[in-house]
Amino acid sequence: MKKIFAVLLCFLLFTAAQAQTSGCDKHFFQKAAPEFTRKALQASTVGLCFEAFSVMHSGVSKTPLWSAEHLTRESLQAARGVPREDSFHAEETLPPKHGAELADYARSGFDRGHMAPAADMPTRQAQHESFSLANVVPQNRRNNQQLWAAIEGATRHLTNQRGELYVMTGPIFEGDRIERLNGRVFVPSHVFKAVVDPSNGEGAGWLAPNDDSGEYQVISIAELEKKTGINLFPKLPDALKQKAMELPQPKMRARRSGAGGRNP
């Protein structure tokens, strides 16, 4: 059952509300939710807790600023048995005019790009929740359907190798002029996915421009946190954040038409 667990007036309010919400902290490394280091990002944010992931949604960008997942071999095994049923929908639990609408994406030329992927979801309910627009950003079609799909696959592969990972995914908005869908929904300049192995604290992140170049880089958690303005893993020691673990190379391949959140 999804629920709003806080409206952020400040980070301390979010922390207190999160601590009072049963089951939500399971999505975070050592049960610690991300913290904003760039305070401007806090404006009009709402935390949402879903069955298999959490997001911090921005009423300014009309997108998530991050999604959080705890992936395990067992959860991914369960996810393989859940058939994909596209069911994109506006998030009804957000305050009025706070979130994106399906009409914002229609004929935009952008995919509705999942941050917490549908293919990670271990139940039908969790998969349905992943299609909430509160978990979606406008994503370049080729980026979403090829490179980003490969990065998602590499994350699942690494989870199966390691046994479990904590994963943070989100957009970055850089530049003086940010494109908007329908004058409302911010289009990211970049997208990122960061992983931490809780057994030894190793971690790193993939960072990619939101375009059709197919380019990406692997960087340390520390570098990624500087770019995002978010302390993604507050309880991960700084020394471990400085070292980028080796990540699997994304294996890109063309995807079938209509895959990955494409719009009419």
Side-chain angles (χ1 to χ4, degrees):
M1 181 71 180
K2 65 189 176 186
K3 46 193 176 289
I4 297 179
F5 60 82
V7 176
L8 282 182
L9 300 177
C10 65
F11 174 68
L12 291 177
L13 178 59
F14 169 69
T15 303
Q18 173 208 317
Q20 297 168 5
T21 304
S22 176
C24 193
D25 57 5
K26 67 184 179 183
H27 303 137
F28 308 123
F29 175 69
Q30 294 190 0
K31 299 185 177 182
E35 303 171 3
F36 290 116
T37 56
R38 190 176 302 148
K39 298 305 180 182
L41 293 173
Q42 280 185 215
S44 300
T45 48
V46 175
L48 299 173
C49 185
F50 297 91
E51 178 185 327
F53 65 100
S54 295
V55 302
M56 183 58 66
H57 184 273
S58 169
V60 176
S61 66
K62 307 292 190 294
T63 70
L65 297 179
W66 53 253
S67 75
E69 301 175 84
H70 178 211
L71 297 183
T72 67
R73 285 194 193 106
E74 293 74 20
S75 69
L76 292 181
Q77 178 64 35
R80 284 194 283 271
V82 180
R84 180 179 171 114
E85 298 179 6
D86 288 18
S87 55
F88 287 102
H89 56 278
E91 183 52 59
E92 295 180 354
T93 61
L94 290 172
K97 300 182 180 180
H98 200 277
E101 301 290 340
L102 292 174
D104 293 323
Y105 284 86
R107 295 175 294 280
S108 68
F110 287 89
D111 274 7
R112 295 163 290 199
H114 285 75
M115 295 292 89
D120 289 357
M121 300 298 131
T123 68
R124 285 180 179 270
Q125 177 62 26
Q127 186 192 95
H128 175 75
E129 291 173 346
S130 79
F131 282 91
S132 166
L133 294 185
N135 181 44
V136 163
V137 303
Q139 201 163 359
N140 175 277
R141 284 182 172 170
R142 185 175 178 187
N143 176 282
N144 182 44
Q145 296 177 29
Q146 296 186 28
L147 174 61
W148 205 246
I151 288 174
E152 291 172 345
T155 303
R156 289 188 284 272
H157 174 71
L158 188 60
T159 301
N160 284 320
Q161 283 187 323
R162 298 275 181 140
E164 63 175 328
L165 291 176
Y166 285 90
V167 184
M168 299 294 302
T169 310
I172 296 175
F173 305 99
E174 287 185 346
D176 296 331
R177 299 185 66 181
I178 298 174
E179 184 179 356
R180 302 187 189 194
L181 303 189
N182 201 24
R184 302 179 72 247
V185 183
F186 286 20
V187 177
S189 59
H190 298 76
V191 282
F192 71 87
K193 189 177 291 288
V195 301
V196 166
D197 181 342
S199 70
N200 56 17
E202 288 186 332
W206 287 279
L207 176 66
N210 186 23
D211 59 25
D212 62 3
S213 66
E215 296 177 355
Y216 72 93
Q217 56 183 313
V218 173
I219 62 176
S220 69
I221 300 296
E223 291 177 280
L224 188 55
E225 288 182 338
K226 283 183 181 179
K227 290 190 71 69
T228 61
I230 303 169
N231 185 349
L232 298 167
F233 302 101
K235 290 193 176 181
L236 187 66
D238 289 342
L240 292 174
K241 289 185 178 185
Q242 298 292 336
K243 300 176 182 179
M245 70 182 288
E246 185 176 348
L247 296 179
Q249 183 175 353
K251 296 180 180 179
M252 284 185 282
R253 58 186 178 186
R255 302 185 73 192
R256 63 180 175 81
S257 177
R262 191 170 179 175
N263 296 295

